Amino acid sequence: CRCRALLSRPAGALRARRGLAAGPEMHFGFQTVTEEERREKIYQVFETVAKKYDVMNDSMTLGIHRVWKDILMHKMNPCPGTLLLDVAGGTGDIAFRFINYVRSVRQRQLQRKLKHHQNLSWQEIFESYQKDKFNSLGDSQVVVCDINREMLKVGKQKAQHLGYSEGLSWVLGNAEELPFDDEKFDVYTIAFGIRNVTRIDLALQEAYRVLKPGGRFLCLEFSHVSNPLLSRLYDLYSFQVIPVLGEVIAGDWKSYQYLVESIRQFPPQEELKAMIEDAGFFKVDYENLNFGIVAIHSGFKL
């Protein structure tokens, strides 16, 4: 699939304060740029950092991003047969966790099934086990959609190296205009990606469109720290340490300076919750992790 032409429509005045400016001007970190310039700059950031993206995630968060993603997966609690769309998921972290989780559920289901058939012969148990083993995902599928070719390339290489192929596909596409039919997916996830979308309101509308009735929206993103002391320490670490790590590990100071600035420009929890509700989602709530360093927002299409 190929992503279609990008839309360009003005957003509301409320969003102007947070990098969703009406008209052509918006934020790229602390800079003011046009909408098209922001798209280009963000594309270049991820094209540059793609190969070091996972290493930098471990370095910046001391590996805690893995725990956050595990919490997201347990919150989703997918069952066999779930069709997941993971947007801005180029390097596959959410997709691989989804596959592992569903396989684990299927394995437990198979063990329970065999326990209830104690009177079966060894041959019958073996044949039943072999049959179910080859359908370890129970028709579950995950589609990884990312606008950046380099990020998708890294994700595909990881999948090949780690042995993931069943139930996994990769699509080049834009979160603001997804190349999928209406009401196609059971779950939509976006982890550390919505902050880099130029028009968050359009991305949320698209998330709503592609979800089936009863489908779930889950967003994991850096957010706003509630504790004043921790907030000051977090700012110190963010502005003084993260760009240095970017330079040392990825040879790229500017991209990680942007990352820190973009977090500060991102809507706080309650404002993002309101935006998700504006897109049509119900039962919208959020869970702060590590005092709000990140938050998981959740909503349902009813």
Side-chain angles (χ1 to χ4, degrees):
C1 294
R2 290 292 181 267
C3 63
R4 293 167 286 177
L6 299 171
L7 295 180
S8 178
R9 283 179 270 170
L14 172 66
R15 286 136 171 96
R17 300 198 320 271
R18 297 285 176 183
L20 304 171
E25 289 191 345
M26 43 182 50
H27 290 293
F28 173 76
F30 292 159
Q31 300 175 45
T32 300
V33 296
T34 67
E35 188 172 312
E36 192 54 41
E37 283 174 337
R38 187 177 193 273
R39 280 198 181 92
E40 286 298 318
K41 284 177 177 290
I42 290 174
Y43 191 93
Q44 288 166 11
V45 163
F46 286 94
E47 192 171 54
T48 301
V49 305
K51 290 179 181 176
K52 295 288 185 179
Y53 183 78
D54 290 331
V55 176
M56 275 300 299
N57 278 349
D58 281 332
S59 301
M60 288 187 304
T61 69
L62 306 178
I64 298 172
H65 76 100
R66 296 171 182 266
V67 177
W68 296 332
K69 290 167 183 171
D70 288 341
I71 292 171
L72 177 71
M73 194 53 55
H74 280 87
K75 199 172 182 73
M76 184 195 305
N77 190 25
C79 58
T82 298
L83 182 56
L84 168 65
L85 173 63
D86 183 38
V87 175
T91 61
D93 273 6
I94 301 301
F96 304 153
R97 279 171 170 77
F98 172 81
I99 290 171
N100 291 343
Y101 195 99
V102 173
R103 280 177 178 167
S104 177
V105 171
R106 283 283 291 169
Q107 184 68 22
R108 290 196 298 271
Q109 287 178 345
L110 175 58
Q111 288 171 351
R112 284 197 297 268
K113 176 183 171 184
L114 294 178
K115 265 187 183 177
H116 290 305
H117 294 84
Q118 298 288 349
N119 58 338
L120 293 178
S121 69
W122 174 85
Q123 185 65 30
E124 288 170 325
I125 290 173
F126 177 78
E127 288 173 358
S128 176
Y129 184 83
Q130 289 297 108
K131 177 184 171 185
D132 286 325
K133 188 176 76 170
F134 288 112
N135 189 18
S136 65
L137 290 177
D139 298 322
S140 297
Q141 291 184 49
V142 53
V143 178
V144 179
C145 180
D146 201 295
I147 198 170
N148 193 286
R149 292 177 187 275
E150 282 301 310
M151 293 289 281
L152 284 173
K153 181 179 175 183
V154 170
K156 289 177 184 178
Q157 289 170 347
K158 275 176 64 182
Q160 187 174 15
H161 176 71
L162 296 171
Y164 292 103
S165 58
E166 179 193 5
L168 175 63
S169 57
W170 308 84
V171 174
L172 183 69
N174 177 12
E176 297 171 45
E177 195 173 4
L178 293 168
F180 305 110
D181 293 337
D182 295 355
E183 300 184 355
K184 182 176 177 65
F185 298 95
D186 300 302
V187 184
Y188 172 113
T189 53
I190 183 164
F192 303 117
I194 203 164
R195 191 182 72 260
N196 300 303
V197 170
T198 301
R199 289 286 306 278
I200 295 176
D201 55 338
L202 293 184
L204 292 172
Q205 290 167 24
E206 281 292 271
Y208 188 88
R209 180 183 67 79
V210 300
L211 279 171
K212 298 174 184 176
R216 190 174 191 184
F217 168 86
L218 285 165
C219 171
L220 172 64
E221 188 54 86
F222 288 109
S223 202
H224 289 246
V225 178
S226 53
N227 182 289
L229 176 59
L230 181 59
S231 181
R232 286 195 291 273
L233 292 172
Y234 180 48
D235 279 348
L236 185 66
Y237 174 76
S238 297
F239 286 99
Q240 301 300 322
V241 177
I242 289 179
V244 175
L245 287 173
E247 181 64 32
V248 172
I249 295 171
D252 189 345
W253 178 293
K254 287 184 178 180
S255 292
Y256 288 94
Q257 182 71 27
Y258 156 73
L259 179 140
V260 172
E261 293 175 359
S262 70
I263 293 170
R264 300 313 183 276
Q265 297 285 46
F266 190 66
Q269 289 89 323
E270 284 292 331
E271 192 172 322
L272 181 59
K273 178 185 176 185
M275 293 173 72
I276 296 168
E277 289 171 337
D278 287 347
F281 289 99
F282 289 87
K283 291 181 65 67
V284 178
D285 62 12
Y286 61 87
E287 177 184 357
N288 284 329
L289 306 178
N290 297 95
F291 299 97
I293 289 177
V294 301
I296 298 175
H297 281 75
S298 170
F300 292 88
K301 178 177 179 176
L302 300 180

